Amino acid sequence: MHIKDKLADAERAGQPSFSFEFFPPKTAQGVQNLYDRMDRMHGLGPSFIDVTWGAGGRLSHLTYMEKGKVDSALKEAYNAGCTNILALRGDPPREQEKWEAVEGGFRYAKDLIRYIRDKYGNHFDIGVAGYPEGCDDQDDRELLIEHLKEKIDAGGTFVVTQMFYDVDNFLEWVRKCRAKGINVPLIPGIMPIQTHAAFLRRATWSKCHIPQKWTEALDPIKNDDAAVREVGKGLVAEMCRRILDAGIIHLHFYTMNLAQATRMVLDELELTPSEKTPLKQPLPWRQSLGLNRRDENVRPIFWRNRNKSYVTRTQDWDEFPNGRWGDSRSPAFGELDAYGIGLKGSNEQNIKLWGEPKSIGDVASVFVRYMERDLETLPWSEAAITSEADVIRDELVKLNRRGLLTINSQPAVNGVKSSHPVHGWGPRNGYVYQKAYLELLLPPSLIPELIERIERNPDLSFYAVNKTGDLRTNAPRDGPNAVTWGVFPGKEIIQPTIVETISFLAWKDEAYRLGTDWARCHAASSPSRHLIENLMNTWYLVNIVNNDFHRPFAIFELFEGLEIPGLDEAFDVNKAQSESQAVNGMTNGHSNGHSNGLSNGVSNGVPNGLSNGSTNGILRNGDRHDIPVRN
């Protein structure tokens, strides 16, 4: 979507919006840290982000490159599905004091803009730079407005300004731009205050005027970074309010790849998501912006807490599910050695985070701390538990206190409005539904009793599998089970989240890999390593769906009275080895009565009888797990 259209939508709705700018770090670890920070800042609800182009160690953009490199960059952006470009002159490389056009390049930004328009038509929305206080080689502000008009006439569609702190000067500049006939959106560039030294350095570098009031407020506390951020938050927020009150309703934040100061300003402006103003989302999971994934609207629930991993493991698919799982998807999930699939963080960091468990009870306490928001991550969850879990949190805590380790869940939802602050998603005036879902790790000793209990309730479906692939299930072979769906005016029913065999087996491999990675954070001879490895080698990964969404807690009733003996006993390696041998014997000889022919039928991660080319992933009317439709 073009940025000018996003801004127009926000203006029609009368809702202020904002965006972020980042720059590419120089190291691989820096890049990974930035990805993680961008992922977290996505939750603040920006309309868009931009990432600057590096040249010679300083920030630059396409005009500083020769035409051949510009063509290559534009082609790459086009092929990636990018529809918005900031065409800025940027800064000279570090070794040059003044900006000079390169041979075979573009002298002025307007030349580049015209070149992009001639070559790509209206495919790209083209943003240009505005300078309310002049720029490094031109102090004549009236002349700069003339140049800005030329850039707009050449095809620029919106303007992002250099950073500033003088609101009066900015608003006067806006009036002059409008008088000159510049009628495209004018977006103010906002630089939050991180530290006093950085504040002065950036203001000096950009030659922006610092109001006397700001100097008087910040100078006395310049050596206290926390106080500078707090006072700076108020000053920047006050500036932003004046801008918003003047009718300019979009703010562009220069984050400098840092989150705290920007978030503080947005919180002060009450622009961050809340129960009153939830972050609107078209689907219950975050969509990828990749060109070939923009129509994707169905995913398995198993990667609910590992969105990036799912995108990575499916990035080579030719097409992505749209409308129905199985219509066009490739059945092949990517290998586990792809970048970003394994456990994050160093061994030392993860030990500090999750401790050195010596018993099942110690492991359970890690999960309890996560459920109680004392921890923000687990090996299987990249982010903190969400408010959606609040209605079942007490039940999750009870299970984990007993050593039944829950790694994924969702509560039942019976037709709440699509605008609901917690469960809502999709277009306005719709209704959304969910089946209760629970995924957990259980010792093999509990599996027979649990399956017997599940079989007593025809509304429950399940999968249970161990690391070696022993699969038990009562699910039908001929299709997935939709566990989330929405009904919207003028649209077919949308079923964005499903449970399905092949994808569960792909997730199984990843889940056990993550647990093994956790174990290997510890020394080879340590009790913690032996304990966690034993869990991964012997315990089952189980998922259960209650297909009657009118009974939100029935799924938890299954576990009443189920206990893990010796929960707080220190792990005994010798005892565990003998029990593991007994379990293997039980696994190899177990009855197929609960498995619909799927147990012990796993080959290369796919159950026997399910071919990779089958249409088993299509929901059909009459299937046992067809979703209910409201009249």
Side-chain angles (χ1 to χ4, degrees), residues 222-402:
K222 61 183 179 181
N223 295 320
D224 185 339
D225 289 348
V228 167
R229 278 193 295 272
E230 183 65 26
V231 172
K233 170 198 72 176
L235 294 170
V236 175
E238 180 185 12
M239 177 181 77
C240 292
R241 287 193 191 96
R242 290 192 58 193
I243 293 170
L244 296 171
D245 290 343
I248 296 172
I249 64 169
H250 188 89
L251 308 170
H252 187 65
F253 287 88
Y254 297 116
T255 69
M256 306 308 293
N257 291 2
L258 300 171
Q260 185 180 12
T262 298
R263 176 164 197 146
M264 289 171 69
V265 174
L266 291 172
D267 284 341
E268 184 74 8
L269 294 171
E270 298 183 341
L271 293 181
T272 49
S274 66
E275 287 200 7
K276 292 183 178 180
T277 57
L279 183 63
K280 295 179 181 178
Q281 50 183 5
L283 292 168
W285 37 265
R286 186 190 306 178
Q287 289 177 288
S288 171
L289 297 179
L291 180 61
N292 59 339
R293 302 189 79 125
R294 291 181 182 176
D295 294 328
E296 178 187 19
N297 64 9
V298 185
R299 286 186 184 177
I301 196 172
F302 315 119
W303 284 270
R304 173 189 180 95
N305 300 317
R306 286 180 58 80
N307 183 68
K308 286 187 290 185
S309 172
Y310 180 80
V311 172
T312 298
R313 293 191 66 188
T314 58
Q315 63 185 345
D316 293 328
W317 288 8
D318 295 327
E319 296 181 77
F320 295 89
N322 177 263
R324 290 183 174 185
W325 178 266
D327 284 356
S328 60
R329 73 175 180 89
S330 162
F333 285 82
E335 298 298 324
L336 296 178
D337 57 0
Y339 182 76
I341 300 297
L343 191 65
K344 292 182 179 178
S346 67
N347 293 349
E348 293 76 15
Q349 289 170 331
N350 290 331
I351 290 173
K352 182 178 180 180
L353 187 63
W354 300 314
E356 299 181 69
K358 304 295 192 301
S359 66
I360 300 297
D362 291 343
V363 175
S365 69
V366 174
F367 282 74
V368 170
R369 289 178 61 202
Y370 178 78
M371 301 303 157
E372 294 179 338
R373 291 200 172 98
D374 188 36
L375 287 174
E376 291 193 352
T377 65
L378 285 176
W380 300 271
S381 299
E382 294 178 333
I385 192 169
T386 67
S387 58
E388 183 190 50
D390 286 350
V391 295
I392 58 173
R393 185 188 311 280
D394 288 347
E395 299 297 331
L396 295 173
V397 169
K398 289 177 186 177
L399 289 178
N400 285 286
R401 286 195 192 283
R402 288 152 50 200

Side-chain angles (χ1 to χ4, degrees), residues 590-606:
H590 84 270
S591 167
N592 289 332
H594 298 299
S595 63
N596 284 352
L598 292 180
S599 295
N600 289 335
V602 178
S603 174
N604 295 326
V606 181

Side-chain angles (χ1 to χ4, degrees), residues 460-625:
L460 299 177
S461 55
F462 81 97
Y463 290 87
V465 68
N466 65 6
K467 185 177 181 180
T468 61
D470 173 48
L471 176 67
R472 312 182 189 195
T473 181
N474 65 352
R477 296 187 185 185
D478 56 353
N481 184 0
V483 293
T484 306
W485 65 98
V487 182
F488 306 98
K491 292 180 175 290
E492 293 185 358
I493 292 172
I494 301 175
Q495 307 165 18
T497 315
I498 56 98
V499 168
E500 181 265 348
T501 306
I502 296 174
S503 53
F504 177 60
L505 292 174
W507 163 245
K508 177 267 294 186
D509 293 337
E510 184 171 330
Y512 283 109
R513 155 73 184 274
L514 290 166
T516 301
D517 285 351
W518 180 20
R520 291 175 179 171
C521 291
H522 302 273
S525 60
S526 72
S528 297
R529 178 156 177 171
H530 288 303
L531 168 65
I532 301 170
E533 282 183 339
N534 183 68
L535 288 179
M536 293 301 98
N537 290 334
T538 62
W539 283 36
Y540 276 73
L541 180 66
V542 180
N543 76 64
I544 306 168
V545 177
N546 182 5
N547 296 289
D548 183 357
F549 56 91
H550 300 94
R551 298 187 60 207
F553 294 101
I555 205 167
F556 295 102
E557 295 169 4
L558 283 171
F559 299 92
E560 291 180 358
L562 292 184
E563 300 284 350
I564 296 179
L567 189 66
D568 295 318
E569 292 179 4
F571 179 68
D572 186 329
V573 176
N574 295 326
K575 180 181 178 182
Q577 288 175 344
S578 62
E579 290 178 349
S580 177
Q581 292 171 357
V583 168
N584 288 337
M586 181 272 289
T587 297
N588 292 332
H590 84 270
S591 167
N592 289 332
H594 298 299
S595 63
N596 284 352
L598 292 180
S599 295
N600 289 335
V602 178
S603 174
N604 295 326
V606 181
N608 294 337
L610 292 181
S611 71
N612 283 352
S614 73
T615 58
N616 291 325
I618 301 176
L619 276 173
R620 300 183 180 88
N621 292 331
D623 282 351
R624 177 182 175 204
H625 297 302

